[in-house]
Amino acid sequence: MGSKTLKMKKSDRTRAAIEMAARRLFAEHGYERTTIRDIAAAASIDPTMVMRYFGSKDRLFADVAVFDLGLPDIAAIDRAHVGETLVAHFLRLWEDEGADSGLPILLRSAASNDFAAARMQQLFAAQIVPVMLGLGTPETAAARAGLVATQMLGLALTRYVLRLAPVVALDRETLLREIGATVQRYAAGA
């Protein structure tokens, strides 16, 4: 039993070393420029060990990346402009200050990786549902948040992951007006 306990402790240390190296390298170099070999070298282990513990670079990223959507305080927003405000916020996350945040990688990963999908679900439950609680009846908050997510994730998928030309070509004002109106309707529950 003693050697089994020692192995578990060593495996915990190895996992922690990989996670620490990955966090640092993803933050310094971004997802695309960070390789499994880089992470392994920083953790002083063989690259096969990274794959053994995490299975893929996407899963490792989803495991170590912390996502705070930094959603605006709904109480401070004119109720008539909630949809537009949320769309503007998400556009900033994807295009401006959050362009290297890893959200595109999390979205891509969530489509094919159960762990990343679970992370996306946690993000949704912890950050979007509470915003909807401030906008209407608590009984419909989760459903309204889900409807808002269909618009935000659909926009992200088509504009930033799939890069569908007609969606990429839309200017910010059109996105704010058109998607903002739908988000407004969903968020308000009207």
Side-chain angles (χ1 to χ4, degrees):
M1 177 142 176
S3 67
K4 187 174 184 178
T5 303
L6 182 59
K7 282 184 181 180
M8 294 206 35
K9 288 181 182 178
K10 183 178 180 191
S11 85
D12 290 344
R13 286 193 307 270
T14 300
R15 184 183 254 318
I18 294 168
E19 289 173 344
M20 187 168 56
R23 275 189 201 95
R24 182 176 58 78
L25 291 172
F26 285 136
E28 288 176 11
H29 306 294
Y31 177 85
E32 295 298 327
R33 293 185 318 184
T34 300
T35 67
I36 292 294
R37 288 187 186 280
D38 295 337
I39 294 166
S44 302
I45 60 167
D46 188 89
T48 60
M49 294 300 289
V50 176
M51 297 307 288
R52 178 175 170 225
Y53 280 88
F54 295 94
S56 71
K57 181 175 156 182
D58 284 349
R59 180 161 178 190
L60 174 57
F61 181 84
D63 193 37
V64 301
V66 176
F67 297 99
D68 180 1
L69 297 176
L71 293 170
D73 178 12
I74 292 300
I77 301 169
D78 177 353
R79 296 262 179 177
H81 299 288
V82 167
E84 199 171 290
T85 301
L86 289 174
V87 173
H89 180 75
F90 275 94
L91 287 173
R92 279 191 301 278
L93 282 178
W94 285 85
E95 292 179 353
D96 301 335
E97 70 263 10
D100 295 324
S101 71
L103 285 171
I105 302 312
L106 185 60
L107 181 59
R108 276 188 210 103
S109 299
S112 61
N113 181 293
D114 290 340
F115 184 78
R119 286 293 302 256
M120 188 69 87
Q121 291 164 1
Q122 292 166 354
L123 183 72
F124 168 82
Q127 297 183 42
I128 298 174
V129 172
V131 170
M132 295 302 116
L133 284 169
L135 291 173
T137 61
E139 299 79 28
T140 64
R144 288 182 289 112
L147 290 169
V148 168
T150 66
Q151 298 305 297
M152 297 296 88
L153 295 176
L155 174 60
L157 180 66
T158 57
R159 188 171 172 97
Y160 308 109
V161 177
L162 299 176
R163 292 186 172 94
L164 294 179
V167 181
V168 172
L170 291 171
D171 61 69
R172 207 173 190 109
E173 292 75 30
T174 301
L175 292 171
L176 290 174
R177 183 181 64 249
E178 299 298 328
I179 296 179
T182 301
V183 170
Q184 179 71 32
R185 187 169 47 86
Y186 289 161

